[in-house]
Amino acid sequence: MENSISGTLVEMRLIAEGAISLYEKNQKPDADAYRLIGEALYILQERISYCLLACQNSGKKSD
């Protein structure tokens, strides 16, 4: 599980860096940039939920 979460965190960092880069390059993003930034946020939301569930399930196994 730890490798899976580590991989997910690396992926999340790359997604966040990409979205931030899009925003920083153009402080007034066009519709396509907004769409990409929005998609990145939704992907991050999914990955965070995955990590939280994995941690919760891990805690249940050790009880």
Side-chain angles (χ1 to χ4, degrees):
M1 178 193 73
E2 190 172 320
N3 287 338
S4 180
I5 290 177
S6 294
T8 301
L9 289 172
V10 168
E11 182 182 18
M12 289 168 54
R13 179 179 176 189
L14 292 172
I15 292 166
E17 286 176 358
I20 291 167
S21 176
L22 275 174
Y23 179 77
E24 287 179 340
K25 285 182 181 178
N26 183 3
Q27 296 264 324
K28 294 183 181 179
D30 60 11
D32 286 337
Y34 270 124
R35 183 182 54 77
L36 290 171
I37 292 167
E39 285 181 32
L41 289 171
Y42 281 114
I43 292 170
L44 288 173
Q45 181 184 36
E46 288 175 6
R47 300 306 191 268
I48 290 167
S49 293
Y50 165 79
C51 288
L52 289 172
L53 285 173
C55 288
Q56 288 172 350
N57 290 336
S58 170
K60 289 178 185 176
K61 291 178 184 176
S62 64
D63 288 344

